[in-house]
Coordinates of all heavy atoms in Angstrom, one line a residue:
M17 N -7.4 5.5 14.0 CA -6.4 4.6 13.4 C -5.5 5.2 12.3 O -6.1 6.0 11.5 CB -7.2 3.4 12.8 CG -6.3 2.4 12.0 SD -7.3 1.0 11.2 CE -8.2 0.3 12.5
S18 N -4.3 4.9 12.3 CA -3.4 5.5 11.3 C -3.7 5.0 9.9 O -4.2 3.9 9.8 CB -2.0 5.2 11.7 OG -1.7 3.9 11.5
V19 N -3.3 5.7 8.9 CA -3.4 5.2 7.5 C -2.6 4.0 7.3 O -3.1 3.0 6.7 CB -3.0 6.3 6.5 CG1 -3.1 5.8 5.1 CG2 -4.0 7.6 6.7
T20 N -1.4 3.9 7.9 CA -0.6 2.7 7.8 C -1.4 1.5 8.3 O -1.4 0.4 7.7 CB 0.7 2.9 8.7 OG1 1.4 4.0 8.2 CG2 1.6 1.7 8.5
D21 N -2.0 1.6 9.5 CA -2.8 0.5 10.0 C -4.0 0.2 9.2 O -4.3 -1.0 9.0 CB -3.2 0.8 11.5 CG -2.1 0.9 12.4 OD1 -1.0 0.2 12.2 OD2 -2.2 1.5 13.5
E22 N -4.7 1.2 8.6 CA -5.8 0.9 7.7 C -5.4 0.2 6.5 O -6.1 -0.8 6.1 CB -6.4 2.3 7.3 CG -7.3 2.9 8.3 CD -8.0 4.2 7.7 OE1 -9.0 4.0 7.0 OE2 -7.4 5.3 7.9
I23 N -4.2 0.5 5.9 CA -3.7 -0.2 4.7 C -3.5 -1.6 5.1 O -3.9 -2.5 4.4 CB -2.5 0.5 4.2 CG1 -2.9 1.9 3.6 CG2 -1.8 -0.4 3.2 CD1 -1.6 2.8 3.2
R24 N -2.7 -1.8 6.2 CA -2.4 -3.2 6.6 C -3.6 -4.0 6.9 O -3.7 -5.2 6.4 CB -1.5 -3.1 7.9 CG -0.9 -4.4 8.3 CD 0.0 -4.3 9.5 NE 1.2 -3.6 9.1 CZ 1.5 -2.4 9.6 NH1 0.7 -1.7 10.4 NH2 2.6 -1.8 9.3
E25 N -4.7 -3.5 7.6 CA -5.8 -4.2 7.9 C -6.6 -4.6 6.6 O -7.1 -5.8 6.4 CB -6.8 -3.5 8.7 CG -6.4 -3.5 10.2 CD -7.4 -2.9 11.1 OE1 -8.5 -2.6 10.7 OE2 -7.1 -2.7 12.3
R26 N -6.8 -3.7 5.7 CA -7.5 -4.0 4.5 C -6.8 -5.0 3.6 O -7.5 -5.8 3.0 CB -7.7 -2.7 3.7 CG -8.7 -1.8 4.4 CD -9.1 -0.6 3.5 NE -9.9 0.4 4.3 CZ -10.6 1.4 3.8 NH1 -10.5 1.6 2.5 NH2 -11.2 2.2 4.6
L27 N -5.5 -4.9 3.4 CA -4.8 -5.8 2.6 C -4.8 -7.2 3.3 O -4.9 -8.3 2.6 CB -3.4 -5.4 2.3 CG -3.3 -4.1 1.5 CD1 -1.8 -3.6 1.3 CD2 -4.0 -4.2 0.2
Q28 N -4.6 -7.3 4.6 CA -4.7 -8.5 5.3 C -6.0 -9.2 5.1 O -6.1 -10.4 4.8 CB -4.5 -8.3 6.8 CG -4.4 -9.6 7.6 CD -3.1 -10.4 7.3 OE1 -2.0 -9.9 7.1 NE2 -3.3 -11.7 7.1
A29 N -7.1 -8.5 5.2 CA -8.5 -9.0 5.0 C -8.7 -9.5 3.6 O -9.4 -10.5 3.4 CB -9.5 -8.0 5.5
A30 N -8.2 -8.7 2.7 CA -8.5 -9.0 1.2 C -7.7 -10.1 0.6 O -8.2 -10.9 -0.2 CB -8.3 -7.7 0.4
F31 N -6.4 -10.3 1.1 CA -5.6 -11.2 0.4 C -4.9 -12.2 1.3 O -4.2 -13.1 0.8 CB -4.4 -10.4 -0.3 CG -5.0 -9.4 -1.3 CD1 -4.9 -8.0 -1.0 CD2 -5.6 -9.8 -2.4 CE1 -5.4 -7.1 -1.8 CE2 -6.2 -8.8 -3.3 CZ -6.1 -7.5 -3.0
N32 N -5.1 -12.2 2.6 CA -4.5 -13.1 3.5 C -3.0 -13.4 3.1 O -2.7 -14.6 2.8 CB -5.3 -14.4 3.5 CG -4.9 -15.4 4.7 OD1 -4.4 -14.9 5.7 ND2 -5.1 -16.6 4.5
P33 N -2.2 -12.4 3.0 CA -0.9 -12.5 2.6 C 0.0 -13.4 3.5 O -0.2 -13.3 4.7 CB -0.4 -11.1 2.4 CG -1.2 -10.4 3.4 CD -2.5 -11.0 3.5
R34 N 1.0 -14.0 2.9 CA 2.0 -14.7 3.7 C 3.1 -13.7 4.2 O 3.8 -14.0 5.1 CB 2.5 -15.9 3.0 CG 3.4 -15.6 1.9 CD 4.1 -16.9 1.3 NE 5.1 -16.7 0.4 CZ 5.0 -16.2 -0.9 NH1 3.8 -15.9 -1.3 NH2 6.0 -15.9 -1.6
E35 N 3.2 -12.6 3.4 CA 4.1 -11.6 3.8 C 3.5 -10.2 3.5 O 2.9 -10.0 2.4 CB 5.4 -11.7 3.0 CG 6.5 -10.7 3.4 CD 7.8 -11.0 2.6 OE1 7.9 -12.0 1.8 OE2 8.8 -10.3 2.9
L36 N 3.6 -9.3 4.4 CA 3.0 -8.0 4.2 C 3.9 -7.0 5.0 O 4.0 -7.1 6.2 CB 1.5 -7.9 4.7 CG 0.9 -6.6 4.6 CD1 0.8 -6.1 3.2 CD2 -0.6 -6.7 5.2
E37 N 4.3 -5.9 4.2 CA 5.1 -4.8 4.9 C 4.5 -3.5 4.4 O 4.3 -3.3 3.2 CB 6.5 -4.9 4.5 CG 7.3 -6.1 5.0 CD 8.7 -6.1 4.6 OE1 9.3 -5.0 4.1 OE2 9.3 -7.1 4.6
V38 N 4.1 -2.7 5.3 CA 3.5 -1.3 4.9 C 4.5 -0.3 5.6 O 4.5 -0.3 6.8 CB 2.1 -1.2 5.4 CG1 1.6 0.2 5.0 CG2 1.2 -2.3 4.8
V39 N 5.1 0.5 4.8 CA 6.1 1.5 5.3 C 5.7 2.8 4.9 O 5.4 3.2 3.8 CB 7.5 1.2 4.7 CG1 8.5 2.2 5.2 CG2 8.0 -0.2 5.1
D40 N 5.5 3.7 5.9 CA 5.2 5.1 5.7 C 6.6 5.7 5.4 O 7.4 6.0 6.3 CB 4.6 5.7 7.0 CG 4.3 7.2 6.8 OD1 4.6 7.8 5.8 OD2 3.6 7.7 7.7
D41 N 6.7 6.1 4.2 CA 8.0 6.7 3.7 C 7.9 8.2 3.5 O 8.6 8.8 2.8 CB 8.4 6.1 2.4 CG 9.8 6.3 1.9 OD1 10.7 6.5 2.7 OD2 10.0 6.5 0.7
S42 N 6.9 8.8 4.2 CA 6.6 10.2 4.0 C 7.8 11.2 4.3 O 8.0 12.1 3.6 CB 5.4 10.7 4.8 OG 4.3 9.8 4.4
E43 N 8.4 10.8 5.4 CA 9.5 11.7 5.9 C 10.6 11.9 4.8 O 11.2 13.0 4.7 CB 10.1 11.2 7.2 CG 10.9 12.2 7.9 CD 10.4 13.6 8.1 OE1 9.1 13.6 8.5 OE2 11.1 14.6 8.0
S44 N 10.9 10.9 4.0 CA 11.9 11.1 3.0 C 11.5 11.9 1.8 O 12.3 12.2 0.9 CB 12.4 9.7 2.5 OG 11.4 9.1 1.8
H45 N 10.2 12.4 1.9 CA 9.7 13.2 0.8 C 9.4 14.6 1.3 O 8.8 15.4 0.6 CB 8.4 12.6 0.2 CG 8.6 11.3 -0.5 ND1 9.0 11.2 -1.8 CD2 8.6 10.0 0.0 CE1 9.2 10.0 -2.1 NE2 8.9 9.2 -1.0
R46 N 10.0 15.0 2.5 CA 9.7 16.3 3.1 C 10.2 17.3 2.1 O 11.3 17.2 1.4 CB 10.5 16.4 4.4 CG 10.3 17.8 5.0 CD 11.2 17.9 6.3 NE 10.5 17.1 7.4 CZ 9.5 17.6 8.2 NH1 9.0 18.8 7.9 NH2 9.0 16.8 9.1
G47 N 9.4 18.3 1.8 CA 9.7 19.4 0.9 C 9.3 19.1 -0.6 O 9.4 20.0 -1.5
H48 N 8.9 17.9 -0.9 CA 8.5 17.5 -2.2 C 6.9 17.6 -2.3 O 6.2 17.7 -1.3 CB 8.8 16.1 -2.5 CG 10.3 15.9 -2.5 ND1 10.9 14.6 -2.4 CD2 11.4 16.7 -2.5 CE1 12.2 14.7 -2.4 NE2 12.5 16.0 -2.5
A49 N 6.5 17.5 -3.5 CA 5.0 17.6 -3.8 C 4.3 16.5 -3.0 O 4.7 15.4 -2.9 CB 4.7 17.4 -5.3
G50 N 3.1 16.9 -2.4 CA 2.3 15.9 -1.7 C 2.7 15.6 -0.3 O 1.9 15.0 0.4
Y51 N 3.9 16.1 0.2 CA 4.2 15.9 1.5 C 3.3 16.7 2.5 O 2.9 17.8 2.2 CB 5.7 16.4 1.8 CG 6.0 16.3 3.3 CD1 6.4 15.0 3.8 CD2 5.9 17.4 4.1 CE1 6.7 14.9 5.1 CE2 6.2 17.2 5.5 CZ 6.6 16.0 6.0 OH 6.9 15.9 7.4
Q52 N 2.8 16.0 3.5 CA 2.1 16.7 4.5 C 2.7 16.5 5.9 O 3.2 15.4 6.2 CB 0.6 16.2 4.5 CG 0.4 14.7 4.8 CD -1.0 14.3 4.4 OE1 -1.7 14.9 3.6 NE2 -1.3 13.2 5.0
E53 N 2.6 17.6 6.7 CA 3.2 17.5 8.1 C 2.5 16.3 8.8 O 1.3 16.2 8.7 CB 3.0 18.8 8.8 CG 3.9 19.0 10.0 CD 5.4 19.0 9.6 OE1 5.8 19.7 8.6 OE2 6.1 18.3 10.3
G54 N 3.3 15.6 9.5 CA 2.8 14.4 10.2 C 2.9 13.1 9.5 O 2.5 12.1 10.0
G55 N 3.3 13.2 8.2 CA 3.4 12.0 7.4 C 2.1 11.4 6.9 O 1.1 12.1 6.7
E56 N 2.2 10.1 6.6 CA 1.0 9.4 6.1 C 0.6 9.9 4.7 O -0.6 10.0 4.4 CB -0.1 9.3 7.1 CG 0.4 8.6 8.4 CD -0.7 7.9 9.1 OE1 -1.8 8.5 9.3 OE2 -0.6 6.7 9.4
S57 N 1.6 10.2 3.9 CA 1.2 10.7 2.5 C 1.9 9.8 1.5 O 1.5 9.8 0.3 CB 1.6 12.2 2.3 OG 3.0 12.3 2.5
H58 N 3.0 9.1 1.8 CA 3.8 8.3 0.9 C 4.0 6.9 1.5 O 4.5 6.9 2.6 CB 5.2 9.0 0.6 CG 5.1 10.3 -0.1 ND1 4.6 11.4 0.5 CD2 5.4 10.6 -1.3 CE1 4.7 12.4 -0.3 NE2 5.1 12.0 -1.5
F59 N 3.7 5.9 0.8 CA 3.8 4.5 1.3 C 4.4 3.6 0.4 O 4.3 3.7 -0.8 CB 2.4 4.0 1.7 CG 1.7 4.8 2.8 CD1 0.9 5.8 2.6 CD2 1.9 4.3 4.1 CE1 0.3 6.5 3.6 CE2 1.3 5.0 5.1 CZ 0.5 6.1 4.9
N60 N 5.2 2.6 0.9 CA 5.7 1.5 0.2 C 5.1 0.3 0.8 O 5.1 0.1 2.0 CB 7.2 1.4 0.4 CG 8.0 2.6 -0.2 OD1 7.6 3.1 -1.3 ND2 9.0 3.1 0.5
V61 N 4.5 -0.6 -0.1 CA 3.9 -1.8 0.3 C 4.5 -3.0 -0.4 O 4.6 -3.0 -1.6 CB 2.3 -1.8 0.0 CG1 1.7 -3.1 0.3 CG2 1.7 -0.6 0.8
L62 N 4.8 -4.0 0.3 CA 5.3 -5.2 -0.2 C 4.3 -6.2 0.3 O 4.0 -6.3 1.5 CB 6.7 -5.6 0.4 CG 7.2 -6.9 -0.1 CD1 8.7 -6.9 -0.4 CD2 7.0 -8.1 0.9
I63 N 3.8 -7.0 -0.7 CA 2.7 -8.0 -0.4 C 3.0 -9.3 -1.2 O 3.2 -9.2 -2.4 CB 1.3 -7.4 -0.6 CG1 0.2 -8.5 -0.1 CG2 1.1 -6.9 -2.0 CD1 -1.2 -7.9 0.0
R64 N 2.9 -10.4 -0.5 CA 3.0 -11.7 -1.2 C 1.8 -12.6 -0.8 O 1.6 -12.8 0.4 CB 4.3 -12.4 -0.7 CG 5.6 -11.7 -0.9 CD 5.9 -11.6 -2.4 NE 7.2 -10.9 -2.6 CZ 7.3 -9.6 -3.0 NH1 6.2 -8.9 -3.2 NH2 8.5 -9.1 -3.2
S65 N 1.0 -13.0 -1.8 CA -0.1 -13.7 -1.5 C -0.5 -14.6 -2.7 O -0.4 -14.3 -3.9 CB -1.3 -12.8 -1.3 OG -2.6 -13.5 -1.2
A66 N -1.0 -15.9 -2.3 CA -1.4 -16.8 -3.4 C -2.6 -16.2 -4.1 O -2.9 -16.7 -5.2 CB -1.8 -18.1 -2.7
A67 N -3.3 -15.3 -3.5 CA -4.5 -14.7 -4.2 C -4.1 -14.0 -5.5 O -5.0 -13.8 -6.4 CB -5.2 -13.6 -3.3
F68 N -2.9 -13.7 -5.7 CA -2.4 -13.0 -7.0 C -2.0 -14.0 -8.1 O -1.7 -13.6 -9.2 CB -1.2 -12.1 -6.7 CG -1.6 -10.9 -5.7 CD1 -1.0 -10.8 -4.5 CD2 -2.6 -10.1 -6.0 CE1 -1.3 -9.8 -3.7 CE2 -3.0 -9.1 -5.1 CZ -2.3 -8.9 -3.9
E69 N -2.0 -15.3 -7.7 CA -1.5 -16.3 -8.7 C -2.4 -16.2 -10.0 O -3.6 -16.1 -9.9 CB -1.6 -17.7 -8.1 CG -0.9 -18.7 -9.0 CD -0.6 -20.0 -8.3 OE1 -0.8 -20.0 -7.0 OE2 -0.3 -20.9 -8.9
G70 N -1.6 -16.2 -11.1 CA -2.3 -16.2 -12.4 C -2.8 -14.8 -12.9 O -3.3 -14.6 -14.0
Q71 N -2.6 -13.8 -12.0 CA -3.0 -12.4 -12.4 C -1.9 -11.7 -13.1 O -0.7 -11.8 -12.6 CB -3.5 -11.6 -11.2 CG -4.7 -12.2 -10.6 CD -5.2 -11.3 -9.4 OE1 -4.5 -10.3 -9.0 NE2 -6.4 -11.6 -8.9
S72 N -2.2 -10.8 -14.0 CA -1.1 -9.9 -14.6 C -0.7 -8.9 -13.6 O -1.4 -8.7 -12.5 CB -1.7 -9.2 -15.8 OG -2.7 -8.3 -15.5
R73 N 0.4 -8.2 -13.9 CA 0.8 -7.1 -13.0 C -0.2 -6.1 -12.8 O -0.5 -5.6 -11.7 CB 2.1 -6.5 -13.6 CG 2.7 -5.4 -12.7 CD 4.1 -5.0 -13.3 NE 4.7 -4.0 -12.5 CZ 4.9 -2.8 -12.8 NH1 4.5 -2.3 -14.0 NH2 5.4 -1.9 -12.0
V74 N -0.9 -5.7 -13.9 CA -1.9 -4.6 -13.9 C -3.1 -5.1 -13.0 O -3.6 -4.4 -12.2 CB -2.4 -4.3 -15.3 CG1 -3.6 -3.4 -15.3 CG2 -1.3 -3.6 -16.0
A75 N -3.5 -6.4 -13.2 CA -4.7 -6.9 -12.4 C -4.3 -7.0 -10.9 O -5.2 -6.7 -10.1 CB -5.0 -8.4 -12.9
R76 N -3.1 -7.3 -10.6 CA -2.7 -7.3 -9.2 C -2.8 -5.9 -8.6 O -3.3 -5.7 -7.4 CB -1.2 -7.8 -9.0 CG -1.1 -9.3 -9.3 CD 0.3 -9.7 -9.4 NE 0.4 -11.1 -9.7 CZ 1.5 -11.8 -9.7 NH1 2.7 -11.2 -9.4 NH2 1.5 -13.1 -10.1
H77 N -2.3 -4.9 -9.3 CA -2.3 -3.5 -8.8 C -3.8 -3.0 -8.7 O -4.1 -2.3 -7.7 CB -1.6 -2.6 -9.8 CG -0.1 -2.6 -9.5 ND1 0.6 -1.6 -9.0 CD2 0.8 -3.6 -9.7 CE1 1.9 -1.9 -8.9 NE2 2.0 -3.1 -9.3
R78 N -4.6 -3.4 -9.7 CA -6.0 -3.0 -9.6 C -6.7 -3.6 -8.4 O -7.5 -3.0 -7.7 CB -6.8 -3.4 -10.8 CG -6.5 -2.6 -12.0 CD -7.3 -2.9 -13.2 NE -7.0 -2.1 -14.3 CZ -7.1 -2.5 -15.6 NH1 -7.4 -3.7 -15.9 NH2 -6.7 -1.6 -16.5
A79 N -6.4 -4.9 -8.0 CA -6.9 -5.6 -6.9 C -6.5 -4.9 -5.6 O -7.4 -4.7 -4.7 CB -6.5 -7.0 -6.9
V80 N -5.3 -4.5 -5.5 CA -4.9 -3.8 -4.3 C -5.5 -2.4 -4.2 O -6.0 -2.1 -3.1 CB -3.3 -3.6 -4.3 CG1 -2.8 -2.6 -3.2 CG2 -2.6 -5.0 -4.1
H81 N -5.6 -1.7 -5.3 CA -6.3 -0.4 -5.2 C -7.8 -0.5 -4.8 O -8.3 0.2 -4.1 CB -6.2 0.4 -6.6 CG -4.9 1.0 -6.7 ND1 -4.7 2.4 -6.7 CD2 -3.6 0.5 -6.9 CE1 -3.4 2.7 -6.8 NE2 -2.7 1.6 -7.0
T82 N -8.4 -1.6 -5.4 CA -9.8 -1.9 -5.1 C -9.9 -2.2 -3.5 O -10.8 -1.7 -2.9 CB -10.4 -3.0 -5.9 OG1 -10.3 -2.6 -7.2 CG2 -11.8 -3.4 -5.5
A83 N -9.0 -3.0 -3.0 CA -9.1 -3.3 -1.6 C -8.9 -2.1 -0.7 O -9.5 -2.0 0.3 CB -8.0 -4.4 -1.3
L84 N -8.1 -1.2 -1.1 CA -7.8 0.0 -0.3 C -8.8 1.0 -0.5 O -9.1 1.9 0.5 CB -6.4 0.6 -0.8 CG -5.2 -0.3 -0.4 CD1 -3.9 0.4 -0.9 CD2 -5.1 -0.6 1.0
G85 N -9.7 1.0 -1.5 CA -10.8 1.8 -1.7 C -10.6 3.3 -1.4 O -9.7 4.0 -2.1
D86 N -11.3 3.9 -0.5 CA -11.2 5.3 -0.2 C -9.9 5.8 0.4 O -9.7 7.0 0.6 CB -12.4 5.7 0.7 CG -12.3 5.1 2.1 OD1 -11.7 4.0 2.3 OD2 -12.8 5.7 3.1
I87 N -9.0 4.9 0.8 CA -7.7 5.3 1.2 C -6.9 5.9 0.1 O -6.2 6.9 0.3 CB -6.9 4.1 1.9 CG1 -7.6 3.6 3.1 CG2 -5.5 4.5 2.1 CD1 -7.0 2.4 3.8
V88 N -7.0 5.4 -1.1 CA -6.1 5.8 -2.2 C -6.2 7.3 -2.4 O -5.2 8.0 -2.6 CB -6.4 5.0 -3.5 CG1 -5.6 5.5 -4.6 CG2 -6.1 3.5 -3.2
P89 N -7.4 8.0 -2.6 CA -7.4 9.4 -2.8 C -6.8 10.2 -1.7 O -6.5 11.4 -1.9 CB -8.9 9.7 -3.0 CG -9.5 8.4 -3.2 CD -8.7 7.3 -2.6
R90 N -6.7 9.6 -0.5 CA -6.2 10.4 0.7 C -4.7 10.5 0.8 O -4.2 11.2 1.6 CB -6.8 9.8 2.0 CG -8.3 10.0 2.2 CD -8.7 9.6 3.5 NE -8.8 8.1 3.6 CZ -8.7 7.4 4.7 NH1 -8.4 8.0 5.9 NH2 -8.8 6.0 4.7
I91 N -4.0 9.6 -0.1 CA -2.5 9.6 0.0 C -2.0 10.1 -1.3 O -2.7 10.2 -2.4 CB -2.0 8.2 0.3 CG1 -2.4 7.2 -0.7 CG2 -2.5 7.8 1.7 CD1 -1.9 5.8 -0.4
H92 N -0.7 10.5 -1.3 CA -0.1 11.1 -2.4 C 0.6 10.1 -3.3 O 0.6 10.1 -4.5 CB 0.9 12.2 -2.0 CG 1.6 12.9 -3.2 ND1 1.0 13.7 -4.0 CD2 2.9 12.7 -3.6 CE1 1.8 14.1 -4.9 NE2 3.0 13.5 -4.7
A93 N 1.2 9.1 -2.6 CA 2.0 8.1 -3.4 C 1.9 6.8 -2.8 O 2.0 6.6 -1.5 CB 3.5 8.6 -3.4
L94 N 1.8 5.7 -3.6 CA 1.7 4.3 -3.2 C 2.6 3.5 -4.1 O 2.3 3.3 -5.3 CB 0.3 3.9 -3.2 CG 0.0 2.4 -2.8 CD1 0.3 2.2 -1.3 CD2 -1.4 2.1 -3.1
A95 N 3.7 3.0 -3.6 CA 4.6 2.2 -4.3 C 4.3 0.7 -3.9 O 4.3 0.4 -2.7 CB 6.1 2.5 -4.0
L96 N 4.0 -0.1 -4.9 CA 3.6 -1.5 -4.7 C 4.6 -2.5 -5.2 O 5.0 -2.4 -6.4 CB 2.2 -1.8 -5.3 CG 1.1 -0.9 -4.9 CD1 -0.2 -1.2 -5.7 CD2 0.8 -1.2 -3.4
D97 N 4.9 -3.5 -4.4 CA 5.7 -4.6 -4.8 C 4.9 -5.8 -4.5 O 4.7 -6.2 -3.3 CB 7.0 -4.6 -3.9 CG 8.0 -5.8 -4.3 OD1 7.6 -6.7 -5.0 OD2 9.1 -5.8 -3.8
I98 N 4.3 -6.4 -5.5 CA 3.3 -7.4 -5.4 C 3.8 -8.7 -6.1 O 4.2 -8.7 -7.2 CB 1.9 -7.0 -6.1 CG1 1.5 -5.6 -5.5 CG2 0.9 -8.1 -5.8 CD1 0.3 -5.0 -6.3
D99 N 3.6 -9.8 -5.4 CA 4.0 -11.1 -6.0 C 3.2 -12.2 -5.3 O 2.5 -12.0 -4.3 CB 5.5 -11.4 -5.9 CG 6.0 -12.2 -7.0 OD1 5.2 -12.9 -7.7 OD2 7.2 -12.3 -7.2
V100 N 3.3 -13.4 -5.9 CA 2.6 -14.6 -5.4 C 3.3 -15.1 -4.1 O 4.4 -15.0 -3.9 CB 2.5 -15.7 -6.4 CG1 1.9 -17.0 -5.9 CG2 1.8 -15.2 -7.6

């Protein structure tokens, strides 16, 4: 399973989002630090879920990182756009 699919599955299971986009943006970082051939090193995630209601921005980011668990150390960059 690709890292993109793993991210999508874990976030879907943890937050039941009404909107979820996981984009592998690795190719636009070719030649930069952390780039690896074949991609799956840089990701942009947009997630909208009622599960984040009442949480601070920091708490939301921590919740996503917790849900992703062992995926986080395997990737170089993770840009998060999180809202209710």
